[in-house]
Amino acid sequence: MNGGAKLDILTRINRTHARQQEPFARVPVRPSARPHAEVVEQFAEFAAEYRANVVRVDAGRLPEAIRAALLVHGNERAVVPHDLPEEWLPAGLAVTRDITGVTDLTPFQAVITGAAVAIAESGTVVLDHGPGQGRRALTLVPDHHLCVVREMQVVDSLPEAVARLRESVLAGQPLTWISGPSATSDIELSRVEGVHGPRVLDILLVQEDTHATS
Amino acid sequence: MSAGGIIPRKTFQDAAHETLSNAQMRRNLQHATTTIRDKRLRAVSELPDWEELRTQGAAVKDHALAHLGDYLLDLEAAVQRAGGQVHWARDAAEAREIIGSIAEGHGVREVIKVKSITTDEIELNGGLSERGIHAIETDLAELIVQLAEDRPSHILVPAIHRNRAEIRDLFRRKLGADLLTDEPKQLADAARLYLREKFLSTKVAVSGANFAIAESGTVCVVESEGNGRMCVTMPEVLISVMGIEKVLPTWQDVAVFLQLLPRSSTAERMNPYNSFWSGVREGDGPQEFHLVLLDNGRTDVLADEVGRQTLRCIRCSACLNVCPVYERAGGHAYGSVYPGPIGAILTPQLLHLEDKNANTLPWASSLCGACYDACPVKINIPEVLLYLRGKITEEKPLNAEAIAFRTAAWVMSEPHRFEGAIKLARTGQGPLVKQGAIHTLPGMLGGWTDTRDLPPLAAQSFREWWRKRPAPPTRETDGDAQLSEGELLGPQRTDDRGPV
């Protein structure tokens, strides 16, 4: 259908002779030279500036932290991706696993997921919807998103993050970049949280084995 | 219906006259632009390699434009591999037809939309309504503009010209919202309630695209409210329309633009949400995806060596926020979905310099150059403005203005002609001078006095005074006439403070 338009547009482009161009070199990705602890610190600070609640927690105490975060908002009905690690979840918490694709997500108050990468430079968490992250609607419809980020997933700069995500993108996975809760400044530029997305974002930043840091 | 979304109904000068008299709008605009401007400088200063990033941004875009045909074909192939469909649209009408018939094919009466200037450019909402399909804007500001039956006045904050009291009244009237106050939080809640139901029940969504990556077929929407995520995730069918200049060669290039865009536009380190998707993904999001590639004049802009750089634009609106003309005249004065300095060069070019009103836009500038300094992809807007002025003037037939200026040049090139003309004017100005000033000039000269008064010509010109002045008293000097310093420089300082 509509092959005429395609041919026309490509012909017009060819006739512009825009092609003669000097070759250009992309700036290579420069790996961060800072100590990783500093990078993690900055991520926590910048994410908090976006009004995400950042909680730093030892791996062993993650279930406790999740329970506490849910309680703050009185949220009990949580949905989680089908493959969220069982050991993250507090004992006795009734969660719904998104196994066959729950059709209606509106009854859920909260969602707990992992992440793929976090970026210090901008305070952003990125979901590539791989293991432990679920489909996109999960982190969108419930009002409260608890996102578990392991310290080793934090990179310093945007180019580093983009490089890490390359494989996921080429494999056709969608990405969701999240910097703070949903927000708008459309009314007289005053910031309001939560127009359409989750109104509360908790980032549980998990401290890992210290000698694993490079 | 034509590409009316970009065709101004008036000249910039006429339209600006109207908006300048709207004091409320000017106050809102001034507040907004200065706020964003100050924040932006802080956000930009955080990145030590900002200038290098701008250079990279410009280089990637130039490279992509230089090989536009190749990258568009790569993009098409990648989207198809990922299970999406690609459509090509020569102009606005064709794009409307493609999107309209897809929506119609699904038998829907409503579609939801993410804010997209490109869909405004092709007047999609009007096109859909001709088919009985209502397009619901889901961005809070766009919803405000839509409910008010208004037009956006800013690329990024479309309802920037409306204050909270106006919005409250609008929501009460149009959404039946029971609003007690005009608190932005309450207003946002009212919109959330109204739109949530639409997100969860509408089958077809339409979006624009900030970037599309040729190597992976990935499309990106950058936003802050979550309505973008809703539209690209919840419906069964997603249609995205993008100008052909939005293509980026590789995934890696995204890093450059995601550093440049949020800091330049909302002055943030990053906007709250970015969504990337490649075609369709089983069990996640829309199971039917269409990408519409729009030309609508862009290949003509590409063909122009000077104008070409306009296509680097990533629609960040930094140039609007620093522009003294935009700050006062407002977005509506530009008469197009592309306001501000970028609109002043993009609109007339997209219309092939054939639209009389659009051709006044390159004069909507003080040429101060602030837009060039702010542009994250280094579009030399003043250069393009001057270039377009030249082209537009060259192509103009000899009009009254040109004749007047030629005559003036002839008169001024000879002192006696000039003096004669002045004498004539002095006699002629008599009836025009009222209370020591000229308030209105007749005929085409009236343009000058529309916005300012003119001092009357003096009763005597300098030359006349010089000729008639009494001879200066001669001073006794010895030998060569030497003027003392005082006579050259006027009265000497009499205090004696010595050298500083």
Side-chain angles (χ1 to χ4, degrees), chain B residues 1 95-104 108-113 119 122-137 204-206 239:
Chain B
M1 198 190 293
R96 282 195 302 266
E97 171 61 29
I98 293 165
I99 300 167
S101 57
I102 295 170
E104 214 165 55
V108 295
R109 306 306 302 268
E110 278 186 345
V111 301
I112 46 174
K113 270 187 68 193
T119 59
I122 62 170
E123 290 199 307
L124 180 65
N125 294 9
L128 287 173
S129 87
E130 281 177 6
R131 294 170 183 260
I133 300 169
H134 178 55
I136 302 162
E137 296 290 350
V204 176
V206 181
I239 309 163

Side-chain angles (χ1 to χ4, degrees), chain B residues 82-99:
Chain B
Q85 297 175 47
V86 177
H87 311 260
W88 302 68
R90 275 170 283 224
D91 54 26
E94 221 162 54
R96 282 195 302 266
E97 171 61 29
I98 293 165
I99 300 167

Side-chain angles (χ1 to χ4, degrees), chain B residues 167-182:
Chain B
I167 298 166
R168 180 201 53 205
D169 295 344
L170 187 69
F171 279 11
R172 276 185 182 159
R173 224 170 44 243
K174 294 288 178 96
L175 299 184
D178 193 15
L179 289 161
L180 300 172
T181 72
D182 57 6

